[in-house]
Amino acid sequence: EPEVTQTPSHQVTQMGQEVILRCVPISNHLYFYWYRQILGQKVEFLVSFYNNEISEKSEIFDDQFSVERPDGSNFTLKIRSTKLEDSAMYFCASKPQGAVEKLFFGSGTQLSVL
Amino acid sequence: GQQLNQSPQSMFIQEGEDVSMNCTSSSIFNTWLWYKQDPGEGPVLLIALYKAGELTSNGRLTAQFGITRKDSFLNISASIPSDVGIYFCAGQLVGADGLTFGKGTHLIIQP
């Protein structure tokens, strides 16, 4: 069964460093998302991406965050200067054209900022 | 931002018991979804609801989209050990792309 793949599974970084989280969405999907989940809390929407541009972003997704689809398969989330409060599990998700029930999540990247 | 109030926060039950959890909001949602999250994994969709009043089943799971479009419940009948996990409700507003998640219900089953 096709799945959304995220790498790395764990990332440890120093405060102020830049990190790039990588995702390979399901191959025929057109809509791409990043969500995050701080330990023990709810899943929060960050950004959606369609047709090579951001279609929606939350108030969490400030100027420190950016997304890119550098080629036909990867979808990345960059945090320019990490803060302690960026520590969280980051989930990539993708879906084809159609309803939200076709949205699939990856297993996440656990980001720890020290 | 939008808030979904999910309850209970946690449930400790015996295997074989039925489970009920719900979500409410002050906002009207276009779509309600229920997800399950296992440790170290991303959320997995259980049931999607699109119409007010809709009642949908998926095996032992049943969910309903409230008439007012501001609430939903999920029932699990005859719980088994593999039902352990965190259950999240999520809603999608009209015209929105992202989902708003509840805080989750942590289900623990005692043998």
Side-chain angles (χ1 to χ4, degrees):
Chain A
E1 185 176 336
E3 58 181 21
V4 176
T5 304
Q6 289 186 242
T7 57
S9 57
H10 293 86
Q11 173 94 43
V12 180
T13 190
Q14 296 289 328
M15 189 171 56
Q17 294 295 308
E18 174 184 286
V19 294
I20 298 176
L21 309 182
R22 302 181 191 281
C23 170
V24 179
I26 295 173
S27 62
N28 63 342
H29 284 191
L30 302 174
Y31 298 80
F32 312 111
Y33 304 82
W34 284 100
Y35 285 80
R36 79 171 186 191
Q37 185 179 31
I38 295 171
L39 183 64
Q41 298 189 25
K42 65 180 180 180
V43 178
E44 299 174 293
F45 168 72
L46 293 179
V47 66
S48 59
F49 191 87
Y50 170 71
N51 201 25
N52 284 319
E53 60 183 22
I54 291 173
S55 48
E56 185 182 355
K57 60 182 180 180
S58 72
E59 56 193 21
I60 301 169
F61 194 87
D62 61 23
D63 292 344
Q64 292 299 310
F65 292 88
S66 62
V67 290
E68 195 176 33
R69 188 158 163 80
D71 52 43
S73 60
N74 290 283
F75 179 52
T76 61
L77 175 69
K78 181 193 290 187
I79 309 175
R80 287 190 185 81
S81 178
T82 50
K83 303 186 286 287
L84 295 176
E85 53 265 38
D86 292 328
S87 295
M89 180 74 89
Y90 287 81
F91 292 107
C92 174
S94 70
K95 76 176 186 75
Q97 187 75 36
V100 67
E101 81 272 8
K102 299 187 178 81
L103 181 70
F104 289 91
F105 286 83
S107 295
T109 293
Q110 180 63 56
L111 176 65
S112 297
V113 182
L114 306 179
Chain B
Q2 305 298 329
Q3 295 287 336
L4 288 184
N5 301 308
Q6 185 171 350
S7 64
Q9 186 176 354
S10 58
M11 301 185 74
F12 295 80
I13 64 167
Q14 299 287 331
E15 184 178 348
E17 286 185 26
D18 296 343
V19 171
S20 184
M21 60 191 78
N22 69 86
C23 274
T24 61
S25 174
S26 58
S27 302
I28 293 175
F29 284 90
N30 199 38
T31 303
W32 280 92
L33 308 118
W34 285 93
Y35 286 88
K36 179 174 185 254
Q37 185 179 29
D38 291 326
E41 299 292 328
V44 174
L45 181 68
L46 299 172
I47 293 179
L49 302 158
Y50 296 101
K51 297 179 183 177
E54 180 181 352
L55 183 71
T56 297
S57 293
N58 178 8
R60 293 178 295 106
L61 277 61
T62 302
Q64 184 159 31
F65 192 150
I67 295 289
T68 63
R69 298 172 68 186
K70 294 182 179 181
D71 63 300
S72 177
F73 72 74
L74 174 70
N75 289 340
I76 305 172
S77 63
S79 57
I80 60 177
S82 61
D83 291 334
V84 165
I86 303 177
Y87 292 79
F88 290 97
C89 64
Q92 188 174 40
L93 295 167
V94 175
D97 217 359
L99 298 176
T100 301
F101 280 79
K103 291 186 177 181
T105 295
H106 194 176
L107 180 62
I108 298 164
I109 299 176
Q110 300 163 335

